[in-house]
Amino acid sequence: MKLVSLAVGLGLSAAAVLVVPGSGATASMQPEVVVDKARPVANKYLDQKLTWRQCGDEELRTYCAKLIAPRDWANQYAGHDIQLAISKVAPEHGKPSRVVFGNPGGPGGAGLGMAPHLASQKPLAKDHLAVGFDPRGTGDSTNVTCQGTPGYTMDARDRAPWNLDLIAQASKLAQPYCDGQSRGLLPYITTGQTVQDMDLIRQLLGFDKIDFVGYSGGTWLGAYYQTYFPQHVGRFVLDSNTDFTSPWLSTFTAQPAAFQRRFQQDFATWAAKYDAKLHLGTTSHQVVRNYERLRAALKKQPAVEEFLEAGVRITYDQNTLDDLVSGDMYTKLDFYSLAVDLAFLRDLSAAQTKGGPRAAQRLVDGLSPARRHELVRRAHRSTVGLPALGDDYEDATFTAITCNDTAWPQGREAADELADDLGPRNPLIGWSMNENPCFYWNRPRLTLPQPTGAGLPTTLMVQSQNDPATNYTLAAAAHHRYAGSRLLTVTGEGDHGVYGGVNKCADRIINAFLTTGRTPATDVSCRGEGIPAPSTPEPIDAEGNEGAGSPLRRVAGFTAVLSGYLH
């Protein structure tokens, strides 16, 4: 996630109108607000038979299928259907008595890998059918795309009028690019449509209730499923929480402070502790200051490296550096590789400044083959380069859901004011808050029902204290407003995504809740397990994916393995 928030402060809603004092406007002039709701399912969709086929290696024990759903649940007989890709892993022995759905967040993250991920949690795997799915718009389900949309290649910190003009123009062009290539599907990429897809899957699988594990943007999806279908709610775990009781905007407004805290309090403090090995600074303040110096140097003269054996040329400027740093805040397992990259970029920039491109290339040529391969791999994992045609479905779905679901303040003034407010205190991503199509988005006439938690079984919310992408304040606010919820806090921890390998104490509590329904009597906490020393190698899982201790990294690895089997 990398967006913004202001509508809460302005009191905007989907039906907000400007009433000019003295104009004589009355309540009768305001458009009627129709709150979205669950729809009965047409027999056409309930009568379909799923054809399951093995996907991935035999060891994963995963089977995948596709089903059809209406493009618009409010118009099921219009003749416009979409396909949804789903996955499942059954217990090794016996028939499952419960089903657990999973979503990796985003929103817009492809989720086929959630089935093998949940099935790999041994206590959960004994009695649960684990189910993953690619939400509408993304993955192997019917896609949306925004391919070709102008990117934000300008420096977000540059507040010159011409630069702000470019940012606004890029933001305005996003919806026409997305809408023009998405075959009429874009207005129907909403959480309200997606939760009804989920309930169709539930009915086709033959279960009365579902359990659920949702990470990040998946907490929003889970809370809205509970709101639309309370009678089918089992045990829900919402991990790394958005504030699903408020508009999307509030979640993004809280991000800059959270990313800055994670960078300064967790990464910079850790790097300073191991300065003898990392050479980034002896104090956290010095580490941050050296990052700012490197950023200024790369803006003045971008550093270039070529890898002829891979046919790759990588240019590092201030935006590349910002993306590298913010992208490595999600899991502490990336801290060591980030520290090594920062030291290398500092040396590369210095070599180029002093001796020109040839001096910089000599530094690159002197690297070991393993290190050269690592740099190329990380460049591909970052935002360097453009995705292949149509491969931007996760980003496109992310944009559609966050812009379609709830209202945003409209126009450049609101966007620039937000960035001007958040940037000085939180420069890592705060200045980029105006780089967001939602400030110029023409939403569908949609009002989602308000999640309150009323009448639901207990919801277990899980949150690490220094999470960069979903600020702890969001979980606290949603927990306060969500009836019957319990909050499990992991103190001294900042990883985004907790359940499934980050913290043993948290896993025990979550597994007990999912398998027995046993709920903590009150809010509880677990102590974080600390950041590994720089010499600690990053775990590699069975599929060769780095960061095996990161649940979301594992899900992404599983999804990559399963993707394409249904084509």
Side-chain angles (χ1 to χ4, degrees), residues 119-203:
S120 70
Q121 312 307 311
K122 291 184 179 180
L124 189 60
K126 292 180 181 178
D127 198 37
H128 277 78
L129 177 69
V131 173
F133 65 100
D134 287 346
R136 58 170 56 209
T138 194
D140 282 349
S141 295
T142 302
N143 284 177
V144 290
T145 178
C146 299
Q147 186 68 37
T149 303
Y152 298 108
T153 58
M154 57 293 291
D155 184 0
R157 298 191 189 185
D158 187 345
R159 311 313 282 174
W162 65 267
N163 196 58
L164 296 177
D165 286 345
L166 290 175
I167 292 173
Q169 290 167 13
S171 297
K172 290 177 184 178
L173 286 170
Q175 188 170 21
Y177 272 86
C178 301
D179 207 14
Q181 300 178 85
S182 297
R183 305 169 306 282
L185 181 57
L186 194 71
Y188 307 103
I189 302 298
T190 70
T191 297
Q193 300 281 351
T194 304
V195 295
Q196 293 184 103
D197 295 340
M198 288 175 60
D199 201 62
L200 174 61
I201 298 170
R202 175 195 65 78
Q203 293 182 69

Side-chain angles (χ1 to χ4, degrees), residues 1 129 184 277 287 293 337 348 370 377 524 533:
M1 291 184 186
L129 177 69
K277 182 178 180 66
V287 172
R293 287 174 175 169
S337 57
L348 185 69
R377 185 193 60 78
V524 293

Side-chain angles (χ1 to χ4, degrees), residues 34 123 178 220 229 287 335 350 385 546:
V34 179
C178 301
W220 180 282
F229 300 100
V287 172
F335 280 11
E546 63 169 355

Side-chain angles (χ1 to χ4, degrees), residues 154-332:
M154 57 293 291
D155 184 0
R157 298 191 189 185
D158 187 345
R159 311 313 282 174
W162 65 267
N163 196 58
L164 296 177
D165 286 345
L166 290 175
I167 292 173
Q169 290 167 13
S171 297
K172 290 177 184 178
L173 286 170
Q175 188 170 21
Y177 272 86
C178 301
D179 207 14
Q181 300 178 85
S182 297
R183 305 169 306 282
L185 181 57
L186 194 71
Y188 307 103
I189 302 298
T190 70
T191 297
Q193 300 281 351
T194 304
V195 295
Q196 293 184 103
D197 295 340
M198 288 175 60
D199 201 62
L200 174 61
I201 298 170
R202 175 195 65 78
Q203 293 182 69
L204 293 175
L205 293 176
F207 288 86
D208 181 58
K209 296 181 185 295
I210 67 169
D211 299 336
F212 180 81
V213 174
Y215 296 101
S216 188
T219 63
W220 180 282
L221 183 66
Y224 275 96
Y225 182 88
Q226 291 179 308
T227 304
Y228 276 74
F229 300 100
Q231 70 275 29
H232 299 300
V233 170
R235 302 160 187 167
F236 272 50
V237 175
L238 307 182
D239 184 337
S240 305
N241 290 264
T242 60
D243 183 359
F244 43 79
T245 65
S246 297
W248 271 116
L249 196 53
S250 60
T251 289
F252 295 117
T253 300
Q255 279 193 328
F259 270 95
Q260 200 70 33
R261 178 179 60 202
R262 175 69 157 165
F263 180 48
Q264 293 181 186
Q265 293 185 11
D266 290 0
F267 174 78
T269 300
W270 170 83
K273 177 181 178 180
Y274 295 105
D275 181 63
K277 182 178 180 66
L278 302 177
H279 310 296
L280 295 178
T282 58
T283 66
S284 60
H285 177 74
Q286 196 174 68
V287 172
V288 175
R289 187 174 61 191
N290 286 337
Y291 154 76
E292 291 290 347
R293 287 174 175 169
L294 176 58
R295 189 185 190 281
L298 291 175
K299 179 177 181 178
K300 183 177 181 181
Q301 184 178 14
V304 178
E305 54 185 7
E306 292 192 35
F307 300 91
L308 297 179
E309 70 277 14
V312 173
R313 177 186 174 94
I314 304 172
T315 300
Y316 293 96
D317 62 7
Q318 74 284 344
N319 291 342
T320 315
L321 180 67
D322 290 345
D323 290 341
L324 180 69
V325 173
S326 59
D328 282 349
M329 293 297 101
Y330 288 80
T331 168
K332 56 184 173 287

Side-chain angles (χ1 to χ4, degrees), residues 327-560:
D328 282 349
M329 293 297 101
Y330 288 80
T331 168
K332 56 184 173 287
L333 298 179
D334 284 339
F335 280 11
Y336 183 37
S337 57
L338 173 60
V340 172
D341 286 350
L342 288 176
F344 171 73
L345 288 176
R346 176 197 61 208
D347 295 343
L348 185 69
S349 177
Q352 182 160 289
T353 300
K354 185 177 181 179
R358 289 186 179 181
Q361 190 59 42
R362 283 196 295 271
L363 181 64
V364 174
D365 292 342
L367 298 173
S368 69
R371 177 60 179 149
R372 291 166 65 86
H373 175 76
E374 171 70 6
L375 286 170
V376 172
R377 185 193 60 78
R378 279 175 63 78
H380 280 305
R381 202 186 80 189
S382 73
T383 57
V384 176
L386 293 173
L389 183 62
D391 284 352
D392 68 326
Y393 45 72
E394 291 196 351
D395 289 341
T397 303
F398 169 90
T399 300
I401 289 177
T402 53
C403 296
N404 282 338
D405 271 4
T406 55
W408 291 70
Q410 292 296 289
R412 174 175 164 176
E413 183 178 357
D416 289 350
E417 283 182 358
L418 182 65
D420 289 341
D421 178 55
L422 295 175
R425 290 172 286 131
N426 310 291
L428 183 60
I429 71 166
W431 288 110
S432 66
M433 288 295 101
N434 56 344
E435 296 180 346
N436 186 349
C438 296
F439 288 110
Y440 308 90
W441 199 267
N442 183 22
R443 293 181 63 237
R445 290 193 61 183
L446 169 69
T447 301
L448 298 176
Q450 176 67 39
T452 65
L456 293 172
T458 299
T459 299
L460 182 59
M461 300 173 64
V462 184
Q463 191 73 30
S464 67
Q465 199 169 37
N466 277 7
D467 187 322
T470 50
N471 198 321
Y472 186 82
T473 60
L474 300 170
H479 168 50
H480 177 72
R481 291 190 284 262
Y482 210 57
S485 59
R486 295 285 185 274
L487 181 59
L488 166 57
T489 300
V490 184
T491 61
E493 176 61 77
D495 275 19
H496 183 64
V498 173
Y499 176 56
V502 169
N503 186 276
K504 297 182 182 66
C505 166
D507 281 354
R508 283 195 296 272
I509 294 171
I510 296 167
N511 280 324
F513 173 71
L514 287 170
T515 56
T516 70
R518 188 166 68 246
T519 306
T522 60
D523 293 345
V524 293
S525 64
C526 292
R527 185 186 299 274
E529 297 178 3
I531 302 172
S535 59
T536 303
E538 197 173 46
I540 303 293
D541 69 12
E543 283 72 42
N545 301 304
E546 63 169 355
S550 166
L552 293 177
R553 190 71 58 77
R554 293 187 75 246
V555 173
F558 284 134
T559 298

